[in-house]
Structures are given as C-alpha cells and as structure tokens.
Amino acid sequence: MTLRSLAANSPGRRANWKALGLSAEDMLKPKIAVVNSSSELAICYAHLDGIAAIVKEEIRKAGGVPFEVRTAAPSDFITGAAKGGSYILAGRDIIANDIEVQVEAALLDGMICLTSCDKTPPGHLMAAARLNIPTILVIGGYQQAGEIDGEPVDVEDVWSGSVGERFGAKPKFPVADMAENAIRGPGVCAGMATANTMHSVVEALGMSLPGSAPVRANSPKMKEGARAAARRIVEMVHEDLRPRTILTEGAFRNAVATVLGVSGSINAIKHLQATAIEAETDIDVYALWDEMSDVPVLSAVRPTGHVRIEQFEDAGGARAVLKRLEGRIDTSVMTCTGKTLAENLAGYVIPGPDVIHAVDDPVGEGPAIAILRGNFADTAVVRLGIRDGSRPEEFSGPAKVFEDSLECLQAIEDGKVVAGDVVVARNQGLKGGPAMGGGASMVLFALDAAGLAKTTAFVTDGQLSGLCLKGLTVAEVSPEAATGGPIGKVRDGDVVTISVANRSIDVALSPEELAQREGPGFRIPASGYLANFRQDVHPLSTGGVLLPIEE
C-alpha cells in the first residue's frame, strides 16, 4: 500500500522531521502515533510514560517510526472536583478531538493508543472510528489495591465509606485509614467499574490483542502485551486493516454481550453508541441491548459480587468471557490480529472455570443491565447485577423531586426522604449537567448509607459511577429535563411506576397533562468549554457526540 504520510512529503516537512533525528530511510517508513494520556495528576495514568517508551522502541524495531502525542486525561477522583464532575464526560470528546487535530492533521499512517481510566477507552475508540486509520489499543491496567488487618481495601471502600459516614453508616475501617492504604500502584480502579468494563469492551470489539483485559498495571504481562501491540500496528498499516472493518454490528453485539456477562458499568452503553456514530454506522446499541437481554451474568466481580479483579484476570478475563459466549455471539467478525474472533478463540482453554461460569451454569440470570421505556422516558437504564431478590425490581410511589444533587443530599440528611418515595434528581443530563455532571452517584450512596436503598427508588437524568450498584436505580433518563423531557415536568406527589419485568418506567399523568406542563430548563451554569459542550452535544441516542448529525 501507499503510505498516506508520503502524500505530504514536502521539503519543509522533511526538514522538520530531519531536525527531530529522522533519517532519509525513516521518511519512507510507516509513521505511527503513540497516543499517550500520561498525567501526573492521576494515578490512573502515572505509569504510561514508561509504557510509551516500550511501545516506541518496539515500533522502531518493527520498521515503523513512532511519534508520541499527548491528550487530555480525565480522572473522576481528580478532575471531577470542579463543576459537579462535568469535565469528566466532556473530556471524552476532547480526547477524540485532540487525536484528530494531531494524527489526522499530520497524515500519520496508524496509531497505537495507551488506554486507561474511564474516558480514554471510548475517546480512543471514537477517534479510531472517525479517522479510520489502522489502530490498536493497549490496555493501561488496574491498580494494586491495599489491605488492612489482612482484609482487602480498595478505592470503592474509600468512596462508599466517605459518603456513608455523613449519613450515619459505619464503614468497615476508618475512612482515613482506608484512604492511606487503598491504592498501592498505578492503574485504574480495581473492580468491574467503568474502566475495566471499557477495557473488556475494547477486547470484545476486537480493537486490542486477545488476552489484554483486564491486566495488572506495569506487570510483565502488560509490558509484553504492549510490545506485541507495537509490532502488530506496523503490520496493520502494511495490511491496511482499518477500524471500520473491525467495528461491525457483530463486533458491537459481542461487546454488549460481554458487558452483560460481566455485569459491567451502564456507561458502556453511551460510549458504544458514540463509537458507532463516529464510525458512520446506523447501529442502534440500545436495540442490541434489548436483543442480547438474555445473556446471563457469568462472573460476579466487585461491585456485583465478591470476585476481585485479580481473580477475574487470572481466570482468563474478557477472553474467557468471549469463549463462554462463543455460541451466542458473532465469532466471524474480524479483529485487530488480522484473524476472526473464532480463530482467536480456537483452542483456548479457560483457566478459571469457577470464576467465569458457563452460560448454562451462570452466576445469575440476565440481564444485568436493562433498558426501560415509557411515558417517563424514551430510554432509561437500570443496573440489576445479580438478580437474587436483594434489590427491588418493581416499585410504585410518589415522586420527591429535586433540582440538583446537593438539594437531594440535604433532604436525605434531614430525614425528608422516606420509605416509599421515588427520589427524582434532575437537570444532570448531557445539556442540563452539563455533560452529565451533578453528582448523582453521591445520592445513591447516601440513600444506601441512610438505609433507604431498598425501600425507595432513585431516578435521574444523570450518569452513575461504575461503582454504583445499590437499590433500584434508574439513570440516564432521556429525554433529559433540560430538553423538555417528562422528568423535567414531574412534580412532588406524582406517582412513578418502575417495572423491570415490563421494561417500563411511567408516571401517572395523561399525555395532555404532560404536554401542558413546563419543565425547569437549565439549572447548572456553564461557561467556557462546558458551554460549548452544552450547545453542541447530541442526545443519548447518539451516545452524546458533538459531531454534526443530520436530523
């Protein structure tokens, strides 16, 4: 194939690259972007410079020329400090745009993305789908959790404990002690929260090498995977194997099945939909979710159960889940290996059958995540986890409406939320938040700490942390309040009914009354980039992309 980087091989370009140390021979080699989100702000990304060095060295050995480029690095616990966490989801699209303005503008031939934390995997996938140049993702790995008195302690314990203390719950250890011990190395949060869910999604889509997810950060296995990916990206450029050949409807179906099989984060839905839009497909991820709703839970990793992420990795991780689902998914799809998923799985033996169960002997019945619809929402998402009766799946009660999370938290603390209430926290959607800021996750942990998670229902147009799995919680209600959705028109005392069995969420109001009522509109001020995001963002049916979309 003809390298596209040679299409702009001007004297000025050659002069600039010669000054960087490139030889005349280098000018003719594949130019590979090494997309690195390294940041000293957050432990999720703190190790990536070392991985980038390994990748660049291996690309050179394989006959390519690496160019390291940097992007934004959103991290919930760090860059979620301002504006109610609004910069977190908004950062996903900054990453995709960062990549475009460097990799596309320079007409590089391929890219290898070091993907870590919650928003870099979807940001990288979206950029790969948009640019459609040979791309492979390297999984950044998860952090080593700590322990106190021989008992494991991780960041989930710190988060839930810190919220719980305010509302009367007693954590298993003092929060200060847990904070000192919870994280003992670089990488993403331990557990099947959004980061490890999205890492598994990347592998299920075929955009990382088999056996990549999850992985201990900075481990020999991770480093060898990075070397293999670096060699492979040079081959992919020569083969002209592009993301849109890989990101087919079958690949998305496989990713949906994987998320359901591991009871992953609900955030995967919008990230997958955004990737599908960026790939210029008409794939409806919400429809695929309905189609795959019979996929059972195959492994109960925290917060779904008590399996730790280290056990899940040792049992085969995403590769083992795909092997278990082999008869239920599309194994004819192409992957970044240049082989089909069936070829990748051929002969693979699952090393931990007691941790990752067979489809006919699951941990729990499906779905672990369901899409609800009704006169309250065109779509809304409920995470069910293991459906063992410990959380209600049917609920009907009077709405208790709050215009923001802080107001809701104060009401819980003051005892104004009582058993039987349907707690509605709104104005936290893509436009209202903006970017789904607002702290809906804190409300859920507060309800749990106050002993109300099983006797109330919680409904929000905001998003939830991947650590959230308590009570009957319906999130990502769309249309959101800020765009005139019914959630913005509900008043205190209106009866809201949620039925998982019927996949429904409804409010006891006639169409005429709903149409006559006015919603609150925007509530959370936004300026700068967040104002731009609010102006341009499309609804959840697109995954919340910023691209121009034909109506």
Side-chain angles (χ1 to χ4, degrees), residues 4 11 124 161-162 199 211 234 236 238 259 262 264 371 373 390 407 417 471 536:
R4 72 176 197 154
H124 293 159
S162 62
H199 292 177
V234 177
M236 288 175 69
H238 288 302
V259 176
V262 300
I371 309 297
R373 296 175 174 85
S390 61
E407 180 187 352
V417 174
D536 295 336

Side-chain angles (χ1 to χ4, degrees), residues 56 68 129 168 277 385:
K56 288 187 290 184
E68 184 176 347
I277 293 289

Side-chain angles (χ1 to χ4, degrees), residues 37-97:
S37 301
S38 175
S39 171
E40 293 183 351
L41 276 174
I43 196 66
C44 328
Y45 306 105
H47 60 308
L48 294 184
D49 283 346
I51 302 304
I54 291 171
V55 167
K56 288 187 290 184
E57 178 185 11
E58 206 66 29
I59 287 173
R60 292 188 190 99
K61 290 180 181 177
V65 177
F67 291 97
E68 184 176 347
V69 298
R70 302 296 183 105
T71 74
S75 170
D76 289 54
F77 287 107
I78 305 300
T79 51
K83 308 286 187 182
S86 289
Y87 286 105
I88 297 301
L89 178 60
R92 179 196 73 177
D93 297 81
I94 285 284
I95 291 167
N97 290 325

Side-chain angles (χ1 to χ4, degrees), residues 231-295:
R231 294 189 293 270
R232 178 61 192 148
I233 188 59
V234 177
E235 295 172 348
M236 288 175 69
V237 170
H238 288 302
E239 296 167 7
D240 198 26
L241 177 54
R242 301 176 181 235
R244 293 187 186 181
T245 301
I246 297 169
L247 296 173
T248 61
E249 183 170 323
F252 281 91
R253 186 176 287 107
N254 297 347
V256 168
T258 299
V259 176
L260 290 169
V262 300
S263 181
S265 167
I266 68 169
N267 294 305
I269 301 174
K270 61 177 172 286
H271 297 327
L272 281 166
Q273 188 63 70
T275 302
I277 293 289
E278 293 276 8
E280 298 183 339
T281 74
D282 59 359
I283 295 168
D284 183 345
V285 173
Y286 291 88
L288 291 181
W289 220 273
D290 292 334
E291 179 186 328
M292 305 301 287
S293 64
D294 60 338
V295 172

Side-chain angles (χ1 to χ4, degrees), residues 313-541:
E313 179 193 350
D314 293 343
R319 191 180 192 183
V321 173
L322 289 165
K323 183 68 175 179
R324 289 296 200 194
L325 293 168
E326 200 168 16
R328 183 70 179 79
I329 58 177
D330 185 350
T331 59
S332 70
V333 296
M334 178 57 63
T335 72
C336 67
T337 64
K339 300 177 181 178
T340 65
L341 179 58
E343 291 174 302
N344 290 343
L345 294 174
Y348 176 69
V349 178
I350 297 171
D354 294 336
V355 173
I356 300 173
H357 289 225
V359 171
D360 59 1
D361 181 30
V363 176
E365 66 176 272
I369 301 168
I371 309 297
L372 308 183
R373 296 175 174 85
N375 74 344
F376 195 100
D378 291 345
T379 60
V381 186
V382 56
R383 187 176 183 185
L384 302 167
I386 298 174
R387 301 172 64 187
D388 57 3
S390 61
R391 286 179 292 275
E393 294 192 2
E394 309 292 319
F395 201 97
S396 187
K400 193 157 285 184
V401 181
F402 301 94
E403 303 300 344
D404 61 58
S405 292
L406 294 179
E407 180 187 352
C408 188
L409 290 169
Q410 191 61 56
I412 296 168
E413 191 169 22
D414 294 343
K416 295 179 180 178
V417 174
V418 298
D421 285 342
V422 177
V423 179
V424 178
R426 61 193 182 194
N427 306 309
Q428 298 178 34
L430 289 165
K431 287 187 177 290
M436 307 196 93
S441 299
M442 289 189 67
V443 173
L444 179 55
F445 277 101
L447 288 169
D448 184 60
L452 293 166
K454 294 182 180 180
T455 57
T456 61
F458 175 43
V459 181
T460 180
D461 54 5
Q463 68 178 351
L464 297 177
S465 162
L467 297 173
C468 291
L469 182 53
K470 300 178 186 298
L472 179 56
T473 301
V474 182
E476 303 200 352
V477 168
S478 181
E480 60 177 292
T483 60
I487 189 173
K489 301 179 179 183
V490 171
R491 298 173 183 167
D492 284 346
D494 290 341
V495 175
V496 177
T497 300
I498 302 162
S499 172
V500 172
N502 296 326
R503 304 289 193 269
S504 63
I505 178 167
D506 293 287
V507 57
L509 295 171
S510 68
E512 293 76 19
E513 187 167 4
L514 268 176
Q516 289 170 1
R517 287 189 182 182
E518 293 185 2
F522 296 150
R523 292 285 178 171
I524 300 175
S527 59
Y529 171 57
L530 293 180
N532 293 338
F533 184 96
R534 167 176 284 168
Q535 174 181 288
D536 295 336
V537 69
H538 292 275
L540 279 170
S541 58

